[in-house]
Amino acid sequence: MLFEKIGLINEDFAYQPDQYVGVEGDAITYVGAQAPADPSRFGRRYDGAGKLLVPGLYNAHAHAPMTLLRGFAENLPLQRWLEEKCWPFEAKMTPEDNYWATVLACAEMARYGVVSFSDMYYATPERARAVTEAGLKANLCEGLLAFEPKPYAEYPICAQNEEYVRTLHGSANGRILMDYNIHAEYTSNQQVCEDIVAIVKDKGLRLHVHVSETEKEVAECRERHDGLSPVEYFNGLGAFDVPCTAAHCVWVDDHDMDILADKGVFVANNPVSNMKLGSGFAPIPEMLARKIRVCVGSDGMASNNNHNLFSDLYVMGLIYKGSTHDPAVVEPAEILRAATRTGALSQGREDCGLIKEGFKADLAVLDVAGPQWCPQTQPLYNIVFAGDGSDVVLTLCDGQVVYEDGAWPTLDLERAKSEVSARAKRIISEL
């Protein structure tokens, strides 16, 4: 495909009008202000008039099968939300429930320009099958609630994860990657954490963990661990000595942030989910000032309700201006970088997240001809504050069209909707 005379967000996160971008196979092979010498080699030509090309979005923290719980667990704080609603519901979910819920999540993400997501949940083979069929990318980890005081090797998931890494890591031409997971400090024990960190280090993989999501979590952690915060606790266990994405980090102090910065931890900011659960919001301006690697996540659909990551970008662009009384904090370029390049790096995908020659063709096209886009005095501000995921008209993942103009060429949306609706009703009836 050759995008012709299209506005784009370049690798420096600045707007450039009337550019040409050529895609061959799974990669971007041409970017320039002039048409390439041999445009026919790209095949399809895409008219960029009234369009804007942006890097595909990277959802750095998700629980894709929780599409089944959309609207089910409402108006509760995190611990009651988990214990009274989510965990009983999830106990009834079958592998095929997870498959169809992930298919629907992939459809929703592709619709809103998301090309890849980091997913912490169960039924990993079924989730991998759904993502592979949908044509998206994902870093998958199998969820573990380690309440029993025993080593990781004595949990069945230990052997399962060995198998998943052997059979799934790098599958679908590298679109599927396996991470390891520690759910949280309050759902694990020290031995399990140390064992998992050792495995991740030995295998050269990545770690995904919930950290300091609520004030209650931090207070109880300090009681259990001689005054240590979750950040200090995990750091002491070596969890940040491996590539790690720490989701939430809402209730962190200056010392915590110094650790996150020093260790190069990726912080997955979930602004909508954290606000909706009443947990608060992460101190993103302070994190960015410390050069902490901030990315963006939707979290699950029981606490966000949609995979339209543009909604998260909008909220992220507003809450810090309001809370700090400073309209200049958290600029749109920082938000877009977090949702694209930094998100890709959090997944270990070095050649992703930018519109740049040699990078993977992970792209989203926005229709910017609508009234909310006029005038385009500063297009980056339009993206965050005026546009929306509904403006996405084309999504490419590794050069493959996964959504275009209301159609999903890689999956059956109506079947997925029907399956998820029926399965959600069945599970609720069993509770």
Side-chain angles (χ1 to χ4, degrees):
M1 186 179 294
L2 177 65
F3 297 93
E4 299 181 306
K5 297 186 73 65
I6 193 167
L8 61 79
I9 303 302
N10 68 16
E11 61 185 277
D12 296 317
F13 290 88
Y15 173 75
Q16 286 185 290
D18 298 325
Q19 299 293 297
Y20 291 81
V21 177
V23 173
E24 295 176 278
D26 65 356
I28 298 169
T29 59
Y30 181 84
V31 180
Q34 306 297 323
D38 182 16
S40 63
R41 81 176 198 256
F42 295 101
R44 178 182 172 185
R45 300 171 80 154
Y46 191 96
D47 183 3
K51 303 293 196 301
L52 175 62
L53 188 66
V54 300
L57 305 185
Y58 276 70
N59 186 341
H61 179 65
H63 308 286
M66 291 185 86
T67 50
L68 280 164
L69 286 87
R70 196 187 330 251
F72 172 72
E74 298 289 346
N75 299 327
L76 291 171
L78 180 72
Q79 289 304 131
R80 290 185 58 201
W81 174 83
L82 283 170
E83 295 168 6
E84 297 176 20
K85 290 290 187 176
C86 294
W87 289 343
F89 188 105
E90 290 169 339
K92 302 288 187 181
M93 289 171 61
T94 68
E96 279 298 293
D97 293 337
N98 280 270
Y99 167 77
W100 283 110
T102 304
V103 171
L104 187 63
C106 287
E108 192 177 0
M109 286 195 237
R111 169 66 185 89
Y112 296 125
V114 174
V115 296
S116 186
F117 58 102
S118 294
D119 205 53
M120 180 192 297
Y121 216 65
Y122 311 104
T124 292
E126 286 72 23
R127 287 185 293 140
R129 174 163 60 101
V131 175
T132 299
E133 292 171 356
L136 297 187
K137 304 178 188 181
N139 283 44
L140 304 175
C141 57
E142 181 79 11
L144 169 66
L145 303 179
F147 293 116
E148 298 178 63
K150 60 184 182 182
Y152 182 61
E154 296 182 17
Y155 284 89
I157 190 177
C158 182
Q160 291 172 353
N161 270 331
E162 292 278 349
E163 177 69 9
Y164 298 157
V165 171
R166 187 181 68 81
T167 59
L168 295 175
H169 187 62
S171 63
N173 295 317
R175 289 188 288 112
I176 301 295
L177 298 178
M178 287 301 304
D179 295 343
Y180 269 75
N181 160 239
I182 298 171
H183 178 268
E185 176 275 329
Y186 60 91
T187 52
S188 61
N189 64 67
Q190 182 172 333
Q191 181 66 61
V192 163
C193 293
E194 291 174 339
D195 293 346
I196 290 174
V197 168
I199 292 170
V200 172
K201 187 175 294 187
D202 179 66
K203 294 182 178 295
L205 297 175
R206 311 183 76 83
L207 184 65
H208 192 167
V209 56
H210 293 101
V211 176
S212 300
E213 187 172 356
T214 67
E215 188 175 22
K216 180 175 185 288
E217 172 191 338
V218 175
E220 292 180 350
C221 178
R222 291 189 186 279
E223 290 177 4
R224 281 189 290 267
H225 301 292
D226 299 321
L228 297 179
S229 71
V231 170
E232 293 170 322
Y233 170 74
F234 282 123
N235 185 52
L237 300 182
F240 300 150
D241 294 327
V242 298
C244 180
T245 295
H248 304 298
C249 295
V250 173
W251 292 90
V252 291
D253 60 22
D254 287 342
H255 181 55
D256 290 335
M257 287 188 280
D258 287 342
I259 292 171
L260 296 171
D262 180 63
K263 294 294 186 176
V265 176
F266 290 91
V267 171
N269 182 31
N270 296 261
V272 171
S273 174
N274 292 149
M275 295 283 279
K276 187 168 184 288
L277 286 173
S279 301
F281 46 85
I284 297 302
E286 293 88 339
M287 290 184 183
L288 292 174
R290 285 173 164 83
K291 308 298 183 185
I292 293 173
R293 298 190 284 186
V294 174
C295 37
V296 184
S298 66
D299 211 355
M301 294 303 94
S303 61
N304 184 328
N305 296 60
N306 70 72
H307 281 119
N308 181 355
L309 210 61
F310 282 87
S311 297
D312 292 85
L313 305 190
Y314 178 73
V315 172
M316 185 174 172
L318 286 181
I319 57 179
Y320 302 106
K321 298 179 187 299
S323 63
T324 64
H325 307 289
D326 181 356
V329 299
V330 192
E331 291 288 307
E334 294 174 308
I335 295 171
L336 289 174
R337 185 185 298 275
T340 56
R341 178 58 173 162
T342 309
L345 292 174
S346 77
Q347 297 184 348
R349 301 181 189 271
E350 298 287 335
D351 58 350
C352 297
L354 296 173
I355 300 177
K356 182 178 181 179
E357 290 183 12
F359 272 50
K360 295 293 187 183
D362 298 333
L363 302 166
V365 176
L366 301 172
D367 182 346
V368 296
Q372 77 276 24
W373 286 89
C374 183
Q376 292 189 45
T377 307
Q378 296 191 62
L380 270 74
Y381 284 82
N382 285 31
I383 293 171
V384 174
F385 294 114
D388 184 70
S390 60
D391 297 317
V392 173
V393 292
L394 176 67
T395 305
L396 273 72
C397 181
D398 275 10
Q400 179 182 18
V401 175
V402 292
Y403 170 79
E404 184 172 13
D405 293 331
W408 287 259
T410 59
L411 52 82
D412 185 341
L413 176 64
E414 294 307 315
R415 171 78 186 277
K417 288 165 57 180
S418 175
E419 291 280 357
V420 169
S421 295
R423 292 167 186 272
K425 288 179 182 177
R426 187 206 80 232
I427 293 169
I428 292 170
S429 72
E430 294 173 356
L431 294 173

